[in-house]
Amino acid sequence: MARINMEQLHTFLAVVRLGGVRKAAVALNVTQPAVTARIKNLEEMLACELFDRTATGMKLTKRGELLLSHAEKFEYLSQQVEKDVVDPAGVEDHLRLGVSETVAQSWLPDLVFRLHALYPKLEIEFNVDISINLRAGLLNREIDLAILLGPVSEFSVDNIELPGIDLGWYAAADAPECRDASAYLTRPVLTYARNTRPYRELKELLFERVGPAVSLFPSTSLSACFRLVEADLGVGALPRVLAQDYVAAGRIREFDPGWVPSPLRFSASYLGEPKSHLVETAAKQAFEVAVAYQGDKNA
């Protein structure tokens, strides 16, 4: 009799937890036919059907329920071996990383460098997007680790809160001087995309302090915001860690209208089940890198 392998059990658990072959294939980063073949081979080895297949989906049979309890125990033991025994240098795996643009432009390269130092054979695929899309990708298991404006308030998600990123007000270096700096805010204000928390909070603050006539120009690209501020087409509420180089080069300058929006709060978020020592390690590394980056910038 052929022996059951962990790949088959891992696939079986993914189909059970996600409710079907398609979602399991996305989560495992394989094709649907590959998932179907693994389940079929597993059923042939055990000489029984594990799922009742209906028009509404796949439901475990009684033998499938029995296998589930054993598979979860094997999974736990496998995770413990990976954590306690396996040399990270020998881990061959794939990490799907989703990050916001603020992170991508600041400490993402440092994180990738650290992960490759820990796991030389690790293949890292990363996607830069706005937080609402990263959250959806995480919950749909299209992303393993999301570094986004968080935390993600879902029972299935574990969050590691990262250091806050301060915002500042910026205008073009050659913008006309205003005796009252708050007058700058009557100009178009360039900032984060419309369907983000920073945009919503900034809009409320501007309506309260400047009035509903204020002009907000949201953008999904922080790089574009900095370029437009530099071209004196508006002012921006933008991350200080990214603005420092522009200020040092004399391209933009900071101004103080007497208030700034609250710092951006990011989290390294990942699904708690199934547990992955690799993903948990990557999330902890993200925290350490973010702390170190902030320390370097504030030094």
Side-chain angles (χ1 to χ4, degrees):
M1 176 179 175
R3 293 184 181 276
I4 299 171
N5 59 51
M6 284 305 303
E7 182 181 73
Q8 291 169 326
L9 291 180
H10 189 43
T11 303
F12 168 75
L13 287 169
V15 172
V16 172
R17 287 167 176 159
L18 300 176
V21 169
R22 183 184 64 80
K23 289 184 177 180
V26 171
L28 297 172
N29 198 33
V30 298
T31 64
Q32 292 186 46
V35 172
T36 301
R38 290 176 191 177
I39 296 299
K40 183 180 178 182
N41 290 338
L42 185 58
E43 289 179 324
E44 289 176 354
M45 285 182 196
L46 298 173
C48 67
E49 289 192 353
L50 300 172
F51 295 95
D52 283 325
R53 296 161 174 83
T54 67
T56 57
M58 299 172 69
K59 182 180 178 182
L60 284 173
T61 62
K62 288 185 178 181
R63 291 190 178 275
E65 293 280 1
L66 286 172
L67 178 62
L68 176 60
S69 65
H70 291 296
E72 288 176 334
K73 294 172 186 175
F74 275 110
E75 181 185 56
Y76 174 77
L77 290 173
S78 174
Q79 291 161 356
Q80 293 304 111
V81 169
E82 179 185 347
K83 177 181 177 182
D84 299 332
V85 180
V86 175
D87 183 352
V91 172
E92 294 187 46
D93 213 331
H94 183 88
L95 178 68
R96 297 169 302 174
L97 184 61
V99 298
S100 72
E101 188 186 1
T102 305
V103 172
Q105 289 198 31
S106 52
W107 49 264
L108 177 61
D110 297 340
L111 175 60
V112 172
F113 179 82
R114 275 212 191 189
L115 290 176
H116 273 153
L118 278 173
Y119 302 102
K121 297 181 180 179
L122 178 65
E123 179 184 344
I124 301 175
E125 171 190 345
F126 62 88
N127 175 36
V128 179
D129 208 334
I130 59 176
S131 291
I132 190 171
N133 293 339
L134 296 175
R135 181 183 183 278
L138 178 66
L139 295 178
N140 290 331
R141 299 180 185 261
E142 298 165 358
I143 293 172
D144 300 312
L145 175 63
I147 302 173
L148 74 175
L149 289 165
V152 177
S153 299
E154 289 284 341
F155 77 95
S156 60
V157 176
D158 290 333
N159 299 282
I160 295 179
E161 293 194 33
L162 305 177
I165 293 181
D166 292 333
L167 295 175
W169 287 106
Y170 296 94
D174 57 356
E177 291 283 351
C178 294
R179 181 174 299 177
D180 178 4
S182 62
Y184 282 115
L185 303 184
T186 60
R187 304 190 61 197
V189 176
L190 301 148
T191 191
Y192 281 75
R194 189 178 301 277
N195 50 347
T196 63
R197 187 188 306 157
Y199 171 83
R200 185 179 69 249
E201 291 178 354
L202 179 62
K203 180 180 178 182
E204 292 174 359
L205 287 168
L206 285 169
F207 276 21
E208 176 186 328
R209 294 171 180 268
V210 181
V214 67
S215 296
L216 273 165
F217 281 40
S219 173
T220 57
S221 170
L222 287 176
S223 299
C225 287
F226 278 110
R227 288 197 298 271
L228 292 170
V229 169
E230 183 182 355
D232 199 24
L233 295 176
V235 299
L238 300 166
R240 281 200 169 102
V241 293
L242 302 183
Q244 288 179 3
D245 290 342
Y246 290 87
V247 173
R251 296 159 65 183
I252 63 175
R253 58 183 170 84
E254 189 169 359
F255 67 91
D256 181 11
W259 63 279
V260 291
S262 59
L264 303 175
R265 297 294 178 185
F266 288 88
S267 66
S269 303
Y270 56 94
L271 292 169
E273 190 179 76
K275 282 188 174 295
S276 167
H277 179 62
L278 169 64
V279 175
E280 289 183 9
T281 299
K284 292 173 183 176
Q285 288 296 314
F287 176 80
E288 292 181 11
V289 168
V291 170
Y293 184 85
Q294 290 281 64
D296 290 343
K297 286 293 183 179
N298 294 331

